[in-house]
Amino acid sequence: MTKLDINSIQKIFQKRAPNSHKGNHGHALIIAGSKSKIGAAIICAKACLRSGAGLVTLNIPKKERIALFSSVPEAMTEFRGEKKNWTSFNSFAIGPGIGTNKSATNLLRLLITNVKIPTVFDADALNILAKNQHELLNLPQKSILTPHVKEFDRLFGKHDSESERRITASTKAKELHLIIILKGHKSFITDGEKSFENTTGNSGLAKGGSGDALTGIITAFLAQGYEPLNAALLGVYIHGLAADITLETQSPESMLITDVIDNLGRAFKKIQN
Ligand SMILES: NC(=O)C1=CN([C@@H]2O[C@H](COP(=O)(O)OP(=O)(O)OC[C@H]3O[C@@H](n4cnc5c(N)ncnc54)[C@H](OP(=O)(O)O)[C@@H]3O)[C@@H](O)[C@H]2O)[C@@H](O)CC1
Ligand SMILES: Nc1ncnc2c1ncn2[C@@H]1O[C@H](COP(=O)(O)OP(=O)(O)O)[C@@H](O)[C@H]1O
Ligand SMILES: [Mg+2]
């Protein structure tokens, strides 16, 4: 297992070309949020925009659109249940705050049927997969699963220790051709061949919404054309680094994920040499 340090991250990171345009940086589609969880969608979209995606479209329930327009005007929207054109996007994420009811389950199935490029599956998408295990075999290869401990055990069965979870994560990543990020204090990232442990982040991230931001960040890197494993490594590292930078102005108690997203810019500057 390799500990993720700044040197390995600097090798992965690709600078933006000075003459680039939005079309060069990909179009991300984020399927997130529901009536009581629209915040998850807003956090995810903001983090995605702050991580370099050229365009971000959020799929949300139509009733929730006002909240979104006022908080993330940079994001475009499409509405849950309306007919979609899957081919316009370069990366996809599904799960934060979508719930696990029948329509969320059908939407996840629709995505799996139509999308053949690596996708980020988080939160309720993982809870739906846990209840529909056969669908794990149908996910696009090199998709990225981002479970916390409880989601991990829902997916792959109860474990007694973190070390046992890490062994299962590697085995399942290899067997299912996926990348698994087992999130926690020191997140573990594996593609079944290589495994990594993150070294950034702090307990200020132990708050609702932190994982939703990570999903947005990784989705932005996929949109920009990073290899899925590199998108996962860079995403986990920079998410934690932005939280560490936030400690300069906030305590772990007072830190908000919005503060962390606002500090992504400083984190990018740190890894750019
Ligand atoms: N603003 C919004 O709209 C927000 C929307 N959100 C959305 O809500 C949905 C539900 O997501 P969720 O993760 O809160 O619920 P759930 O899967 O039951 O897990 C919670 C339990 O898991 C455990 N646990 C977690 N980490 C652990 C660890 N490292 N180590 C050990 N245990 C750990 C811990 O369980 P405990 O130990 O307390 O038994 C914890 O209580 C989802 O779609 C999400 O995107 C949220 O993001 C919040 C902001
Ligand atoms: N004590 C901690 N130290 C470092 N990182 C943490 C800590 N607690 C949580 N995190 C990070 O915060 C994120 C939490 O994700 P998750 O539990 O899915 O949150 P949510 O679903 O509420 O958005 C993960 O990336 C995790 O690694
Ligand atoms: Mg989560």
Side-chain angles (χ1 to χ4, degrees), residues 122-123 148 151 183 211-212:
D122 181 34
H148 59 51
E151 288 159 344
K183 296 185 297 194
D212 306 331

Side-chain angles (χ1 to χ4, degrees), residues 54-246:
L55 291 167
V56 176
T57 293
L58 256 179
N59 176 295
I60 51 159
K62 191 170 186 180
K63 278 188 179 163
E64 315 308 327
R65 65 192 184 281
I66 304 297
L68 204 90
F69 292 153
S70 50
S71 52
V72 214
E74 298 88 350
M76 295 176 285
T77 44
E78 57 166 48
F79 300 124
R80 198 84 28 100
E82 289 179 356
K83 201 172 170 349
K84 312 174 49 55
N85 181 3
W86 298 95
T87 56
S88 346
F89 305 102
N90 306 95
S91 72
F92 299 87
I94 183 166
I98 63 169
T100 56
N101 64 16
K102 207 167 170 212
S103 65
T105 304
N106 287 341
L107 184 53
L108 177 73
R109 290 213 170 100
L110 197 65
L111 179 142
I112 295 172
T113 307
N114 286 283
V115 172
K116 302 296 166 204
I117 60 173
T119 293
V120 184
F121 294 89
D122 181 34
D124 290 325
L126 300 173
N127 296 329
I128 294 169
L129 288 169
K131 287 193 225 151
N132 298 274
Q133 291 273 328
H134 59 282
E135 296 288 9
L136 281 170
L137 299 167
N138 301 328
L139 305 184
Q141 288 209 354
K142 294 193 186 179
S143 282
I144 301 171
L145 271 51
T146 61
H148 59 51
V149 168
K150 208 158 190 167
E151 288 159 344
F152 187 90
D153 282 7
R154 284 182 194 127
L155 271 171
F156 300 124
K158 181 108 194 61
H159 290 73
D160 292 326
S161 68
E162 191 64 5
S163 55
E164 282 181 20
R165 271 186 204 98
R166 287 182 173 196
I167 293 168
T168 302
S170 300
T171 311
K172 290 291 178 182
K174 194 176 171 82
E175 187 181 306
L176 299 167
H177 307 286
L178 298 171
I179 290 150
I180 297 177
I181 302 175
L182 173 56
K183 296 185 297 194
H185 173 51
K186 291 182 174 172
S187 294
F188 177 77
I189 305 106
T190 181
D191 66 355
E193 300 287 344
K194 289 171 277 176
S195 297
F196 303 84
E197 185 182 78
N198 192 31
T199 55
T200 58
N202 59 74
S203 62
L205 287 172
K207 253 177 208 174
S210 302
D212 306 331
L214 177 68
T215 291
I217 295 169
I218 296 170
T219 310
F221 294 141
L222 286 178
Q224 288 165 88
Y226 284 88
E227 272 294 303
L229 180 61
N230 286 344
L233 297 175
L234 188 55
V236 169
Y237 187 89
I238 206 158
H239 175 254
L241 182 59
D244 292 343
I245 292 168
T246 305

